[in-house]
Amino acid sequence: MTIVLKRIWLFYYEGFRSMTLGKTLWVIILIKLFIMFFILKVFFFRDELRVYDNEQEKQQHIIHELTLEKR
Amino acid sequence: MFLTTLTDLSRLQFALTAMFHWIFVPLTIGLGFIIAIMETYYVRSGKDFWKRTVKFWMNVFAVNFAIGIATGIILEFQFGTNWSNYAWFVGDIFGAPLAIEGIIAFFMESTFFAIMFFGWNKVSKNAHLTSTWLVALGTAISAYWILVANAWMQYPAGMEFNPDTARNEMVNFWAVATSPVAVNKFLHTILNAFVLGAVVVVGISAWYLKKKREEEFSRKSIKIAAIFGLVSILLLIYTGDGSAYHVAQKQPMKLAAMEGLYDGQNGTQLVAIGILNNKKFKALRDNDSLGFELEKPYVFQISVPKALSLLGYRDVNAFVPGINDIIKGGYKYKDSTGNYVTAQSLEEKILSGRIAINALASYNKAKNAGDEDGASASKKDLQENFKNFGYGYLKESKDIVPNVPLVFYSFRIMVLLGGYFLLFFILTLWLEQKEKIGRCKWYQNLAIISIPLVYICSQAGWIVAEVGRQPWTIQDLLPVQASVSGVSSSAVLTTVILFFVLFSVLLTAEISILLKVIKKGPASN
């Protein structure tokens, strides 16, 4: 088991080490994921229903929204 | 006004993200399969030439994959924030396919992707080839589940609405997963991705020929991509016919908008080339009934007699309802059980929809008050009118009509470019067969110009599909204005601007890195 895990680790380790173009791409991927998950998701895309404590309250909110007169 | 602005901004944001995401996805899918075919040549022939060729196209694939990866997740962020009513209403029906897609995308693609890139000389040739094919298949399977979710919005099937939870619940997984709209949409979309991948390979290879570099690499890449592209475009045209048939049956307003058809008739013509009279659409939007009556639908048109009836209903004399017919109702059509029924007018549907919405409100009130009889009566009203639930949010005729000029012209751009790519692949193979492709400058320029054209064609197809189904997020059940959350429009505007900047930077990065990879060429491998 340990040998298998070590081989998998070495497979990825050596793969990443030998990358040339891939390093630039990984930098882009990491910056992009940071912007998406730690800036956009945290500050701009919070779940609208998070303010409700349970499913019942969420259901009531949605039913209220769907049956609003102004819609 | 506030709601209109918020809805429009939320739609703009979603459209911007989806269109940006769709720049990367089709190339990943199409190129993945072309690489797998090339690597099969390598394993069968054992020639290092093919290994070098595969490695070059894998670099192009890697750049596109890296820049495009996870851009689709932003769409899911938007569901929870801007479209929370919709996200709740669709419930697990949307969640299940997206979850399957996530699991498959993560485990299958990421596992075999690593072997595909890191596994040269570490695993056997056959194991590497299997990984490459599994990456390609993984992208296609991922696409399938996304398109199942999209198809369900266009043709809701296999679910029941639960008024206790205000959610649609899946009662038949296979009805959702194998709905005819989903299957056709998947085939049409995946073939579109194959064509796009093929055109990109031919275009880049033609650039090398123009620069008098890498002739063997370019000609063999062109040959494989052009055969792959030709087979794909022929099947694409076949599935396009299937799409038109399903749209005619399930989304007649979309078909009417695609054709700029205001008044239907038996044996309806198909407009091959035409210019719409925009005054007619403007009169409809402005509620100018006199202007609407007087204006003709087209300024100019060349049509194929009876072709729309044949394509939409497999009958040259079938009645194809126009925009006015769908608004006024009264025409006969075949429903999902195969029986002929009389179409309801928009007014009747709006009334029925309002009964359904009020029934949901009164059901909820009665249930909370412990009034079982009242709840039971309201539930019955809701069930009887649920098929028109979304119409209850509409107010007037113009609310049900999508942007006709945008759908009409996008459809023609897609079809004309589709026809062009059929000829393009035939021409490519003919020039290659005659061994003229290396000297034919005009063809090489044409192939390079075809790269942006194939993206335009692909995006135009999605505009037809998504703008054409307006005002619905879920066909007949939920329009866009009832789907949006009560977030502030300024917050949405801020993120629209942020996305625009982020996407522009990513696209610039993609193009500049790709150009570097292409300039280096396969020799660097």
Side-chain angles (χ1 to χ4, degrees), chain B residues 199 202-204 206 420 424 442-452:
Chain B
V199 172
V202 173
I204 293 172
Y420 160 74
F424 174 75
W442 65 265
Y443 167 79
Q444 291 158 5
N445 289 326
L446 186 74
I448 295 165
I449 291 167
S450 295
I451 296 176

Side-chain angles (χ1 to χ4, degrees), chain B residues 8-25:
Chain B
D8 288 348
L9 281 170
S10 298
R11 283 185 59 204
L12 172 68
Q13 186 185 64
F14 200 86
L16 184 69
T17 316
M19 290 178 85
F20 178 75
H21 183 54
W22 190 248
I23 291 173
F24 303 100
V25 175

Side-chain angles (χ1 to χ4, degrees), chain B residues 358-380:
Chain B
N358 289 334
L360 175 63
S362 51
Y363 172 80
N364 188 51
K365 202 172 169 185
K367 195 189 75 177
N368 289 341
D371 173 9
E372 282 186 20
D373 291 341
S376 175
S378 299
K379 192 174 182 179
K380 189 167 171 283

Side-chain angles (χ1 to χ4, degrees), chain A residues 12 14-15 28-29 32 36 40-41 44-49 55 58-60 62-63 65-67 71, chain B residues 66-67 69-70 77 80-81 85 88 114 122 164 357 364 368 393 395 481 484 487 495 498-499 513:
Chain A
Y12 279 92
E14 287 169 9
I28 291 172
I29 289 172
K32 183 175 65 177
M36 280 171 54
L40 291 176
K41 180 65 183 162
F44 296 100
F45 286 99
R46 283 180 287 182
D47 187 353
E48 266 294 290
L49 301 179
E55 292 285 292
K58 289 179 184 175
Q59 287 162 17
Q60 288 305 312
I62 295 295
I63 290 172
E65 282 279 305
L66 291 177
T67 55
R71 299 245 184 228
Chain B
I67 308 283
I69 193 169
F77 291 173
T81 306
N85 294 350
W88 185 274
K122 288 185 180 169
D164 293 315
I357 293 168
N364 188 51
N368 289 341
Y393 299 102
K395 292 182 176 66
Q481 66 265 37
V484 288
V487 291
T495 47
L498 268 175
F499 282 166
I513 298 171

Side-chain angles (χ1 to χ4, degrees), chain B residues 375-406:
Chain B
S376 175
S378 299
K379 192 174 182 179
K380 189 167 171 283
D381 283 344
L382 176 59
Q383 284 170 337
E384 282 173 2
N385 293 282
F386 186 70
K387 66 173 185 175
N388 291 322
F389 190 85
Y391 288 93
Y393 299 102
L394 308 182
K395 292 182 176 66
E396 49 198 341
S397 306
K398 66 177 183 181
D399 292 347
I400 202 185
V401 184
N403 187 322
V404 176
L406 183 56

Side-chain angles (χ1 to χ4, degrees), chain B residues 7-124:
Chain B
T7 305
D8 288 348
L9 281 170
S10 298
R11 283 185 59 204
L12 172 68
Q13 186 185 64
F14 200 86
L16 184 69
T17 316
M19 290 178 85
F20 178 75
H21 183 54
W22 190 248
I23 291 173
F24 303 100
V25 175
L27 185 58
T28 298
I29 297 171
L31 198 51
F33 278 85
I34 293 172
I35 289 170
I37 293 168
M38 288 175 171
E39 193 174 338
T40 306
Y41 271 86
Y42 165 59
V43 172
R44 292 183 69 173
S45 69
K47 288 180 182 170
D48 265 359
F49 163 80
W50 283 113
K51 187 176 180 182
R52 197 170 66 96
T53 303
V54 168
K55 280 192 164 187
F56 171 77
W57 291 114
M58 270 174 57
N59 278 346
V60 175
F61 179 91
V63 174
N64 185 66
F65 191 90
I67 308 283
I69 193 169
T71 48
I73 290 175
I74 301 174
L75 294 170
E76 293 185 37
F77 291 173
Q78 290 170 30
F79 289 145
T81 306
N82 299 359
W83 304 96
S84 61
N85 294 350
Y86 155 81
W88 185 274
F89 190 79
V90 297
D92 296 336
I93 294 169
F94 216 81
L98 291 186
I100 297 171
E101 188 274 336
I103 292 165
I104 289 171
F106 185 77
F107 288 107
M108 193 165 169
E109 283 175 49
S110 59
T111 305
F112 294 106
F113 194 87
I115 297 173
M116 186 175 157
F117 280 89
F118 300 159
W120 293 108
N121 307 323
K122 288 185 180 169
V123 296
S124 70

Side-chain angles (χ1 to χ4, degrees), chain B residues 449-467:
Chain B
I449 291 167
S450 295
I451 296 176
L453 292 181
V454 78
Y455 280 95
I456 290 169
C457 180
S458 187
Q459 297 278 352
W462 275 111
I463 290 171
V464 174
E466 299 302 303
V467 178

